[in-house]
Coordinates of all heavy atoms in Angstrom, one line a residue:
M1035 N 0.8 -1.3 0.0 CA 0.0 0.0 0.0 C 0.8 1.2 -0.1 O 1.9 1.3 0.8 CB -0.9 0.1 1.3 CG -1.8 -1.2 1.4 SD -3.3 -0.8 0.7 CE -4.3 -0.4 2.2
Q1036 N 0.5 2.2 -0.7 CA 1.3 3.5 -0.8 C 0.2 4.6 -0.5 O -1.0 4.4 -0.7 CB 1.8 3.7 -2.2 CG 3.0 2.8 -2.4 CD 4.1 3.4 -3.4 OE1 4.1 4.5 -3.4 NE2 4.8 2.5 -3.9
K1037 N 0.7 5.6 0.0 CA -0.2 6.8 0.3 C -0.2 7.8 -0.8 O 0.9 8.1 -1.4 CB 0.4 7.5 1.5 CG -0.7 8.2 2.3 CD 0.0 8.7 3.8 CE -1.0 8.2 4.8 NZ -0.5 8.8 6.2
Y1038 N -1.3 8.3 -1.1 CA -1.5 9.4 -2.2 C -2.3 10.4 -1.6 O -3.2 10.2 -0.8 CB -2.3 8.6 -3.4 CG -1.5 7.6 -4.0 CD1 -1.7 6.2 -3.6 CD2 -0.5 7.7 -4.9 CE1 -1.0 5.1 -4.0 CE2 0.3 6.7 -5.3 CZ -0.1 5.3 -4.9 OH 0.7 4.3 -5.5
K1039 N -2.0 11.7 -2.0 CA -2.8 12.9 -1.8 C -3.7 13.1 -3.0 O -3.2 13.2 -4.1 CB -2.0 14.1 -1.4 CG -2.8 15.2 -1.1 CD -2.0 16.2 -0.3 CE -1.6 17.3 -1.4 NZ -0.9 18.4 -0.8
I1040 N -5.0 13.2 -2.7 CA -6.0 13.5 -3.9 C -6.6 14.7 -3.5 O -7.1 15.1 -2.4 CB -7.0 12.4 -3.9 CG1 -6.3 11.0 -4.1 CG2 -7.9 12.6 -4.9 CD1 -7.1 9.8 -3.6
V1041 N -6.7 15.6 -4.6 CA -7.2 17.0 -4.4 C -8.2 17.3 -5.5 O -7.9 17.0 -6.6 CB -6.1 18.0 -4.4 CG1 -6.7 19.5 -4.3 CG2 -5.0 17.8 -3.3
V1042 N -9.4 17.7 -5.2 CA -10.3 18.2 -6.1 C -10.4 19.7 -6.0 O -10.5 20.3 -4.9 CB -11.7 17.7 -5.9 CG1 -12.8 18.4 -6.8 CG2 -11.8 16.2 -6.0
D1043 N -10.2 20.3 -7.1 CA -10.4 21.9 -7.2 C -11.8 22.2 -7.3 O -12.3 22.1 -8.5 CB -9.4 22.5 -8.3 CG -9.5 24.0 -8.2 OD1 -10.5 24.7 -7.6 OD2 -8.5 24.6 -8.7
P1044 N -12.5 22.7 -6.4 CA -13.8 22.9 -6.4 C -14.2 24.1 -7.5 O -15.3 24.2 -8.1 CB -14.4 23.3 -5.0 CG -13.2 23.8 -4.3 CD -12.0 23.0 -5.1
D1045 N -13.2 25.0 -7.7 CA -13.4 26.0 -8.7 C -13.4 25.5 -10.1 O -14.1 25.9 -11.0 CB -12.4 27.1 -8.6 CG -12.5 27.9 -7.4 OD1 -13.5 27.9 -6.9 OD2 -11.4 28.3 -6.8
L1046 N -12.7 24.3 -10.4 CA -12.7 23.7 -11.7 C -13.7 22.6 -11.8 O -14.2 22.4 -12.9 CB -11.3 23.0 -11.9 CG -10.1 23.9 -11.9 CD1 -8.9 23.0 -12.0 CD2 -10.2 24.7 -13.2
C1047 N -14.2 22.0 -10.8 CA -15.2 21.0 -10.8 C -16.5 21.5 -11.4 O -17.0 22.4 -10.7 CB -15.4 20.4 -9.6 SG -16.7 19.0 -9.3
I1048 N -17.1 20.9 -12.4 CA -18.4 21.4 -13.0 C -19.5 20.3 -12.7 O -20.6 20.4 -13.2 CB -18.3 21.6 -14.5 CG1 -17.7 20.4 -15.2 CG2 -17.4 22.8 -14.8 CD1 -17.9 20.4 -16.7
G1049 N -19.3 19.5 -11.9 CA -20.2 18.4 -11.5 C -20.6 17.3 -12.4 O -21.8 16.9 -12.5
A1050 N -19.7 17.1 -13.3 CA -19.9 16.1 -14.3 C -20.1 14.7 -13.8 O -20.8 13.9 -14.4 CB -18.9 16.1 -15.4
A1051 N -19.6 14.5 -12.6 CA -19.7 13.2 -11.8 C -19.2 11.9 -12.4 O -19.5 10.9 -11.9 CB -21.3 13.0 -11.5
S1052 N -18.4 12.0 -13.5 CA -17.9 10.9 -14.0 C -16.7 10.2 -13.1 O -16.6 9.1 -13.1 CB -17.2 11.2 -15.4 OG -16.3 12.3 -15.4
C1053 N -16.1 11.0 -12.3 CA -15.2 10.5 -11.3 C -15.8 9.6 -10.4 O -15.5 8.5 -10.0 CB -14.5 11.7 -10.5 SG -15.5 12.8 -9.7
V1054 N -17.2 10.0 -9.9 CA -18.0 9.3 -9.0 C -18.4 7.9 -9.7 O -18.4 6.9 -9.1 CB -19.2 10.1 -8.5 CG1 -20.1 9.2 -7.6 CG2 -18.8 11.3 -7.9
T1055 N -18.7 8.0 -10.9 CA -19.2 6.8 -11.6 C -18.0 5.7 -11.7 O -18.2 4.6 -11.5 CB -19.5 7.2 -13.1 OG1 -20.7 8.1 -13.0 CG2 -20.1 6.1 -13.8
I1056 N -16.8 6.3 -12.0 CA -15.7 5.4 -12.2 C -15.1 4.8 -10.8 O -14.8 3.8 -10.6 CB -14.6 6.0 -13.0 CG1 -15.1 6.2 -14.5 CG2 -13.3 5.2 -13.0 CD1 -14.3 7.0 -15.4
D1057 N -15.0 5.7 -9.8 CA -14.5 5.5 -8.4 C -15.3 6.0 -7.3 O -14.9 6.8 -6.7 CB -13.0 6.0 -8.5 CG -12.1 5.5 -7.3 OD1 -12.8 4.7 -6.5 OD2 -11.1 5.8 -7.2
P1058 N -16.3 5.3 -7.1 CA -17.3 5.7 -6.1 C -16.8 5.5 -4.7 O -17.3 6.0 -3.7 CB -18.6 4.8 -6.3 CG -18.1 3.6 -7.0 CD -17.0 4.1 -7.8
N1059 N -15.6 4.7 -4.6 CA -14.9 4.5 -3.4 C -14.2 5.7 -2.9 O -13.9 6.0 -1.7 CB -13.9 3.4 -3.3 CG -14.5 2.2 -2.7 OD1 -15.4 2.2 -2.0 ND2 -13.9 1.0 -3.1
T1060 N -13.8 6.6 -3.9 CA -13.0 7.8 -3.7 C -13.7 9.0 -3.8 O -13.2 10.1 -3.2 CB -11.7 7.6 -4.5 OG1 -11.1 6.4 -4.4 CG2 -10.7 8.8 -4.3
F1061 N -14.8 9.1 -4.7 CA -15.4 10.4 -4.9 C -16.9 10.3 -4.6 O -17.5 9.3 -4.9 CB -15.2 10.8 -6.3 CG -13.7 11.1 -6.7 CD1 -13.0 10.1 -7.4 CD2 -13.0 12.2 -6.3 CE1 -11.7 10.2 -7.7 CE2 -11.7 12.4 -6.4 CZ -11.0 11.4 -7.3
I1062 N -17.4 11.3 -4.1 CA -18.9 11.6 -3.8 C -19.3 13.0 -4.2 O -18.5 13.9 -4.0 CB -19.2 11.2 -2.4 CG1 -20.7 11.1 -2.2 CG2 -18.6 12.2 -1.5 CD1 -21.0 10.4 -0.8
M1063 N -20.6 13.2 -4.7 CA -20.9 14.6 -4.9 C -21.4 15.2 -3.6 O -22.2 14.6 -2.9 CB -22.1 14.6 -6.0 CG -21.7 14.0 -7.4 SD -20.2 14.5 -8.1 CE -20.6 16.3 -8.3
N1064 N -21.2 16.4 -3.5 CA -21.8 17.1 -2.3 C -23.0 18.0 -2.7 O -23.4 17.9 -3.8 CB -20.7 18.0 -1.5 CG -20.2 19.1 -2.3 OD1 -20.8 19.5 -3.4 ND2 -19.1 19.6 -2.0
D1065 N -23.6 18.7 -1.8 CA -24.8 19.5 -2.0 C -24.5 20.6 -3.0 O -25.5 21.1 -3.6 CB -25.2 20.1 -0.7 CG -25.8 19.0 0.3 OD1 -25.9 18.0 -0.2 OD2 -26.0 19.4 1.4
E1066 N -23.3 21.0 -3.2 CA -23.0 22.1 -4.2 C -22.7 21.4 -5.6 O -22.2 22.3 -6.3 CB -21.8 22.9 -3.6 CG -22.2 23.7 -2.4 CD -21.1 24.3 -1.7 OE1 -20.1 24.4 -2.3 OE2 -21.3 24.9 -0.6
N1067 N -22.9 20.2 -5.7 CA -22.6 19.5 -7.0 C -21.1 19.5 -7.3 O -20.7 19.6 -8.4 CB -23.4 20.1 -8.1 CG -23.8 19.0 -9.2 OD1 -23.8 17.9 -8.9 ND2 -23.9 19.5 -10.4
K1068 N -20.4 19.5 -6.2 CA -18.9 19.3 -6.4 C -18.4 18.0 -5.9 O -19.1 17.5 -5.0 CB -18.1 20.4 -5.6 CG -18.5 21.8 -5.8 CD -18.1 22.3 -7.3 CE -18.5 23.8 -7.4 NZ -18.2 24.2 -8.8
A1069 N -17.5 17.4 -6.6 CA -16.9 16.1 -6.0 C -16.0 16.3 -4.7 O -15.1 17.2 -4.7 CB -16.1 15.5 -7.0
E1070 N -16.2 15.5 -3.8 CA -15.3 15.5 -2.5 C -14.7 14.0 -2.4 O -15.1 13.2 -3.1 CB -16.2 15.7 -1.2 CG -16.7 17.1 -1.2 CD -17.5 17.4 0.2 OE1 -17.6 16.4 0.8 OE2 -17.8 18.6 0.3
V1071 N -13.6 14.1 -1.6 CA -12.8 12.9 -1.6 C -13.1 12.1 -0.4 O -13.2 12.6 0.7 CB -11.2 13.2 -1.6 CG1 -10.4 12.1 -1.6 CG2 -10.9 14.3 -2.6
L1072 N -13.4 10.7 -0.7 CA -13.6 9.8 0.3 C -12.4 8.9 0.6 O -11.5 8.9 -0.1 CB -14.8 8.8 -0.1 CG -16.1 9.5 -0.3 CD1 -17.0 8.3 -0.9 CD2 -16.6 10.0 1.0
D1073 N -12.3 8.2 1.8 CA -11.3 7.3 2.1 C -12.0 5.9 2.0 O -12.6 5.5 3.0 CB -10.8 7.6 3.5 CG -9.6 6.7 3.8 OD1 -9.4 5.6 3.2 OD2 -8.8 6.9 4.8
H1074 N -11.9 5.2 1.0 CA -12.5 3.8 0.8 C -13.8 3.9 1.2 O -14.5 3.0 2.1 CB -11.7 2.9 1.7 CG -10.2 2.7 1.2 ND1 -9.2 3.3 1.8 CD2 -9.8 1.9 0.2 CE1 -8.1 3.0 1.1 NE2 -8.4 2.1 0.2
G1075 N -14.7 4.8 0.6 CA -16.0 4.9 0.8 C -16.5 5.7 2.0 O -17.7 5.8 2.3
E1076 N -15.6 6.1 2.9 CA -15.9 6.8 4.1 C -15.5 8.2 4.0 O -14.4 8.6 3.7 CB -15.1 6.1 5.3 CG -15.4 4.6 5.4 CD -16.8 4.4 6.0 OE1 -17.3 5.2 6.9 OE2 -17.3 3.2 5.9
A1077 N -16.3 9.1 4.6 CA -16.0 10.5 4.8 C -15.4 10.7 6.2 O -15.9 11.5 6.9 CB -17.2 11.4 4.5
Q1078 N -14.3 10.0 6.5 CA -13.7 10.1 7.9 C -13.3 11.5 8.2 O -12.6 12.1 7.3 CB -12.7 9.2 8.1 CG -13.2 7.7 8.0 CD -12.1 6.8 8.1 OE1 -10.9 7.0 8.1 NE2 -12.4 5.6 7.8
G1079 N -13.8 12.1 9.3 CA -13.3 13.4 9.6 C -14.1 14.5 8.9 O -13.7 15.6 8.9
G1080 N -15.1 14.0 8.2 CA -16.0 15.1 7.5 C -15.7 15.2 6.0 O -14.6 14.8 5.6
P1081 N -16.5 15.9 5.3 CA -16.4 16.1 3.8 C -15.1 17.0 3.6 O -14.8 17.8 4.3 CB -17.6 16.9 3.3 CG -18.5 17.0 4.6 CD -17.7 16.5 5.8
T1082 N -14.5 16.7 2.5 CA -13.3 17.4 2.2 C -12.8 17.3 0.6 O -13.2 16.4 0.1 CB -12.1 17.0 3.0 OG1 -10.9 17.7 2.7 CG2 -11.7 15.5 2.9
Y1083 N -12.3 18.4 0.2 CA -11.8 18.3 -1.2 C -10.4 17.8 -1.3 O -9.8 17.8 -2.3 CB -11.8 19.8 -1.7 CG -13.1 20.3 -1.9 CD1 -13.6 21.5 -1.3 CD2 -14.0 19.6 -2.7 CE1 -14.9 22.0 -1.4 CE2 -15.4 20.2 -3.0 CZ -15.7 21.4 -2.4 OH -17.0 21.8 -2.5
E1084 N -9.8 17.4 -0.1 CA -8.4 17.0 -0.1 C -8.1 16.0 1.0 O -8.6 16.1 2.1 CB -7.5 18.2 0.2 CG -6.0 17.9 0.1 CD -5.1 19.2 0.5 OE1 -5.6 20.2 0.0 OE2 -4.1 19.0 1.1
R1085 N -7.5 14.9 0.6 CA -7.4 13.7 1.6 C -6.2 13.0 1.2 O -5.8 12.8 0.0 CB -8.6 12.9 1.4 CG -8.9 12.1 2.7 CD -10.2 11.3 2.4 NE -11.4 12.0 2.7 CZ -11.9 12.2 3.9 NH1 -11.3 11.8 5.0 NH2 -13.1 12.8 4.0
E1086 N -5.5 12.4 2.2 CA -4.4 11.4 2.0 C -5.0 10.1 2.1 O -5.6 9.8 3.3 CB -3.2 11.8 2.8 CG -2.5 13.0 2.4 CD -1.2 13.3 3.2 OE1 -0.7 12.3 3.9 OE2 -0.6 14.4 3.0
I1087 N -4.7 9.2 1.3 CA -5.3 7.8 1.4 C -4.2 6.8 0.9 O -3.4 7.0 0.1 CB -6.4 7.7 0.3 CG1 -7.5 8.8 0.6 CG2 -7.0 6.3 0.4 CD1 -8.5 8.9 -0.5
E1088 N -4.2 5.7 1.8 CA -3.5 4.4 1.4 C -4.2 3.6 0.3 O -5.3 3.4 0.5 CB -3.2 3.6 2.6 CG -2.2 4.3 3.6 CD -1.5 3.4 4.4 OE1 -1.9 2.3 4.6 OE2 -0.4 3.7 4.9
M1089 N -3.5 3.3 -0.8 CA -4.1 2.6 -1.9 C -3.2 1.4 -2.4 O -2.0 1.6 -2.5 CB -4.5 3.5 -3.1 CG -5.5 4.6 -2.7 SD -6.0 5.4 -4.2 CE -7.5 5.9 -3.8
T1090 N -3.9 0.4 -2.8 CA -3.2 -0.6 -3.5 C -2.9 -0.1 -5.0 O -3.5 0.9 -5.3 CB -4.0 -1.9 -3.6 OG1 -5.2 -1.6 -4.3 CG2 -4.5 -2.4 -2.3
D1091 N -2.2 -0.8 -5.6 CA -2.0 -0.5 -7.1 C -3.2 -0.5 -8.0 O -3.4 0.4 -8.7 CB -0.9 -1.4 -7.7 CG 0.5 -1.2 -7.1 OD1 0.8 -0.2 -6.5 OD2 1.5 -2.1 -7.3
D1092 N -4.1 -1.5 -7.7 CA -5.3 -1.6 -8.5 C -6.2 -0.3 -8.1 O -6.8 0.3 -9.1 CB -6.1 -2.9 -8.1 CG -5.5 -4.0 -8.8 OD1 -4.7 -3.9 -9.6 OD2 -6.0 -5.2 -8.5
E1093 N -6.3 0.0 -6.8 CA -7.1 1.1 -6.5 C -6.6 2.5 -7.1 O -7.1 3.4 -7.5 CB -7.2 1.3 -4.8 CG -7.9 0.2 -4.3 CD -7.8 0.1 -2.7 OE1 -6.8 0.6 -2.3 OE2 -8.6 -0.4 -2.1
R1094 N -5.2 2.6 -7.1 CA -4.5 3.7 -7.8 C -5.0 3.8 -9.1 O -5.2 4.9 -9.7 CB -3.1 3.7 -7.5 CG -2.5 5.1 -8.0 CD -1.0 4.9 -8.3 NE -0.8 3.9 -9.3 CZ 0.2 3.0 -9.1 NH1 1.0 3.0 -8.3 NH2 0.4 2.1 -10.2
E1095 N -4.9 2.7 -9.8 CA -5.3 2.7 -11.3 C -6.8 3.2 -11.5 O -6.9 4.0 -12.4 CB -5.2 1.2 -11.9 CG -3.8 1.0 -12.4 CD -3.6 -0.4 -13.0 OE1 -4.6 -0.8 -13.6 OE2 -2.6 -1.0 -12.9
T1096 N -7.6 2.7 -10.6 CA -9.0 3.2 -10.8 C -9.1 4.7 -10.5 O -9.7 5.4 -11.2 CB -9.9 2.4 -9.8 OG1 -9.8 1.1 -10.0 CG2 -11.3 2.8 -10.0
L1097 N -8.3 5.1 -9.5 CA -8.3 6.6 -9.2 C -7.8 7.4 -10.4 O -8.3 8.5 -10.8 CB -7.3 6.8 -8.0 CG -6.9 8.2 -7.7 CD1 -8.0 9.1 -7.4 CD2 -5.9 8.4 -6.8
I1098 N -6.7 6.8 -11.0 CA -6.1 7.6 -12.1 C -7.2 7.6 -13.4 O -7.3 8.7 -13.9 CB -4.7 7.1 -12.6 CG1 -3.8 7.3 -11.5 CG2 -4.4 7.7 -13.9 CD1 -3.3 8.7 -11.2
M1099 N -7.8 6.5 -13.5 CA -8.9 6.6 -14.5 C -10.0 7.6 -14.2 O -10.5 8.2 -15.2 CB -9.6 5.1 -14.6 CG -8.8 4.2 -15.4 SD -9.8 2.8 -16.0 CE -9.7 1.8 -14.4
A1100 N -10.4 7.6 -13.0 CA -11.3 8.6 -12.7 C -10.8 10.0 -12.9 O -11.7 10.9 -13.4 CB -11.7 8.4 -11.3
A1101 N -9.6 10.2 -12.5 CA -9.1 11.6 -12.8 C -9.0 11.9 -14.2 O -9.3 13.1 -14.7 CB -7.7 11.7 -12.2
E1102 N -8.7 11.0 -15.1 CA -8.6 11.2 -16.5 C -9.9 11.4 -17.1 O -10.0 12.0 -18.1 CB -8.0 9.9 -17.1 CG -6.4 9.8 -16.9 CD -6.0 8.4 -17.5 OE1 -6.7 7.5 -17.7 OE2 -4.7 8.2 -17.7
S1103 N -11.0 10.9 -16.5 CA -12.3 11.1 -17.0 C -12.9 12.4 -16.7 O -13.9 12.9 -17.3 CB -13.3 10.2 -16.3 OG -13.7 10.6 -15.1
C1104 N -12.2 13.3 -15.8 CA -12.7 14.5 -15.6 C -12.5 15.6 -16.6 O -11.3 15.9 -17.1 CB -12.0 15.1 -14.3 SG -12.6 16.7 -13.8
P1105 N -13.5 16.0 -17.2 CA -13.5 16.9 -18.3 C -12.7 18.3 -18.1 O -12.3 18.9 -19.0 CB -15.0 17.3 -18.8 CG -15.8 17.0 -17.5 CD -15.0 16.0 -16.7
T1106 N -12.7 18.7 -16.8 CA -12.0 20.0 -16.6 C -10.7 19.7 -15.8 O -10.1 20.7 -15.3 CB -13.0 20.9 -15.7 OG1 -13.3 20.1 -14.5 CG2 -14.3 21.1 -16.4
L1107 N -10.2 18.5 -15.7 CA -8.9 18.2 -15.0 C -8.9 18.9 -13.7 O -8.1 19.5 -13.3 CB -7.7 18.7 -15.8 CG -7.5 18.0 -17.2 CD1 -6.3 18.6 -17.8 CD2 -7.4 16.5 -17.1
A1108 N -10.0 18.6 -12.9 CA -10.1 19.2 -11.5 C -9.6 18.3 -10.5 O -9.6 18.8 -9.3 CB -11.6 19.5 -11.3
I1109 N -9.1 17.1 -10.9 CA -8.6 16.2 -9.9 C -7.2 16.0 -10.0 O -6.6 15.8 -11.1 CB -9.2 14.7 -10.0 CG1 -10.8 14.8 -9.9 CG2 -8.5 13.7 -9.1 CD1 -11.5 13.5 -10.3
F1110 N -6.5 16.2 -8.9 CA -4.9 16.2 -8.8 C -4.6 15.1 -7.9 O -5.1 14.9 -6.9 CB -4.4 17.6 -8.3 CG -4.8 18.7 -9.2 CD1 -6.0 19.3 -9.1 CD2 -3.9 19.1 -10.2 CE1 -6.4 20.3 -9.9 CE2 -4.2 20.2 -10.9 CZ -5.4 20.8 -10.9
V1111 N -3.6 14.4 -8.3 CA -3.0 13.1 -7.5 C -1.5 13.2 -7.4 O -0.8 13.6 -8.3 CB -3.3 11.8 -8.3 CG1 -2.8 10.6 -7.4 CG2 -4.8 11.6 -8.5
Y1112 N -1.1 13.1 -6.0 CA 0.3 13.4 -5.6 C 0.8 11.9 -4.9 O -0.1 11.4 -4.3 CB 0.5 14.5 -4.7 CG 0.0 15.8 -5.3 CD1 -1.3 16.2 -5.1 CD2 0.8 16.6 -5.9 CE1 -1.8 17.4 -5.6 CE2 0.4 17.9 -6.4 CZ -1.0 18.2 -6.3 OH -1.5 19.4 -6.8
D1113 N 2.0 11.6 -5.2 CA 2.5 10.5 -4.3 C 3.1 11.0 -3.1 O 2.9 12.1 -2.6 CB 3.5 9.7 -5.1 CG 4.9 10.5 -5.3 OD1 5.1 11.5 -4.6 OD2 5.7 9.9 -6.1
E1114 N 3.6 10.0 -2.3 CA 4.1 10.4 -0.9 C 5.1 11.5 -0.8 O 5.3 12.2 0.1 CB 4.7 9.1 -0.2 CG 3.7 8.3 0.6 CD 4.3 7.0 1.1 OE1 4.8 6.3 0.4 OE2 4.1 6.7 2.2
T1115 N 6.0 11.5 -2.0 CA 6.9 12.5 -2.0 C 6.5 13.9 -2.4 O 7.2 14.8 -2.4 CB 8.1 12.1 -2.9 OG1 7.6 12.2 -4.2 CG2 8.6 10.7 -2.6
G1116 N 5.2 13.9 -2.7 CA 4.7 15.3 -3.2 C 4.7 15.4 -4.7 O 4.3 16.5 -5.2
E1117 N 5.2 14.4 -5.3 CA 5.4 14.5 -6.8 C 3.9 14.4 -7.4 O 3.1 13.5 -7.0 CB 6.3 13.4 -7.4 CG 6.4 13.6 -8.9 CD 7.3 12.5 -9.5 OE1 8.0 11.8 -8.7 OE2 7.3 12.2 -10.6
Q1118 N 3.6 15.2 -8.4 CA 2.3 15.2 -9.0 C 2.2 14.0 -10.1 O 3.0 14.1 -11.0 CB 2.0 16.5 -9.6 CG 0.6 16.6 -10.2 CD 0.2 18.1 -10.7 OE1 0.5 19.0 -10.1 NE2 -0.3 18.2 -11.8
L1119 N 1.4 13.1 -9.8 CA 1.2 12.0 -10.7 C 0.2 12.2 -11.8 O 0.3 11.8 -13.0 CB 0.8 10.6 -10.0 CG 1.6 10.3 -8.8 CD1 0.9 9.0 -8.2 CD2 3.0 10.0 -9.3
Y1120 N -0.8 13.1 -11.5 CA -1.8 13.5 -12.5 C -2.3 14.9 -12.1 O -2.7 15.0 -11.1 CB -2.9 12.4 -12.5 CG -3.8 12.6 -13.7 CD1 -3.5 12.0 -15.0 CD2 -5.0 13.4 -13.6 CE1 -4.3 12.3 -16.1 CE2 -5.8 13.7 -14.7 CZ -5.5 13.1 -16.0 OH -6.1 13.4 -17.0
P1121 N -2.7 15.7 -13.1 CA -2.2 15.5 -14.5 C -0.7 15.5 -14.6 O 0.0 16.2 -13.9 CB -2.9 16.7 -15.2 CG -3.8 17.4 -14.3 CD -3.4 16.9 -12.8
D1122 N -0.3 14.9 -15.7 CA 1.3 14.8 -16.0 C 1.7 16.2 -16.2 O 1.1 17.0 -16.9 CB 1.5 14.0 -17.2 CG 1.3 12.5 -17.0 OD1 1.4 12.1 -15.8 OD2 1.1 11.8 -18.1
M1123 N 2.8 16.4 -15.5 CA 3.4 17.7 -15.6 C 4.3 17.9 -16.9 O 4.8 17.0 -17.2 CB 4.5 17.9 -14.4 CG 3.7 18.0 -13.1 SD 2.6 19.2 -12.8 CE 3.8 20.6 -12.4
Ligands
SF4_1584 S1 -15.4 14.3 -13.1 FE1 -14.4 16.4 -12.5 S2 -16.0 17.8 -12.9 FE2 -16.9 15.8 -12.7 S3 -17.6 15.7 -10.6 FE3 -15.6 14.7 -10.7 S4 -14.1 16.4 -10.3 FE4 -16.0 17.4 -10.7

């Protein structure tokens, strides 16, 4: 398992919800029609646009697919060292 930081920029999110469709364990729509980040289906510590999560390689692949599906590139993924994995720099 490795730790990843996942960030949704609410100013970029247009509520298309494709991230939720692809990775409902990690994303959920809030009342403002923005995606928030879950920890394996749980909103531990309350709703948030930013969260650090431990993931298996399979879970990370699903997460990256969800980020790739976002039409406005509102989802950012960083590894433990702070390197940005998505979108590619
Ligand atoms: S796919 Fe992008 S725009 Fe759509 S809800 Fe997710 S973060 Fe927001």
Side-chain angles (χ1 to χ4, degrees):
M1035 298 269 263
Q1036 291 208 21
K1037 208 172 229 184
Y1038 300 93
K1039 184 166 91 172
I1040 303 158
V1041 180
V1042 173
D1043 183 338
D1045 292 331
L1046 292 176
C1047 176
I1048 56 168
S1052 49
C1053 57
V1054 177
T1055 303
I1056 292 174
D1057 191 354
N1059 258 342
T1060 307
F1061 298 103
I1062 190 169
M1063 301 310 297
N1064 66 16
D1065 291 346
E1066 293 170 11
N1067 209 29
K1068 308 285 185 187
E1070 289 181 355
V1071 186
L1072 297 172
D1073 183 346
H1074 295 92
E1076 304 280 336
Q1078 293 170 7
T1082 179
Y1083 291 120
E1084 182 177 324
R1085 199 180 280 280
E1086 286 188 14
I1087 303 173
E1088 287 202 341
M1089 290 189 154
T1090 64
D1091 289 348
D1092 281 355
E1093 287 168 340
R1094 187 201 56 221
E1095 270 183 37
T1096 303
L1097 164 68
I1098 296 292
M1099 274 197 287
E1102 285 172 344
S1103 80
C1104 178
T1106 60
L1107 298 182
I1109 299 170
F1110 299 82
V1111 181
Y1112 303 87
D1113 72 11
E1114 263 174 314
T1115 69
E1117 187 183 338
Q1118 185 171 316
L1119 302 179
Y1120 191 86
D1122 285 340
M1123 298 294 278

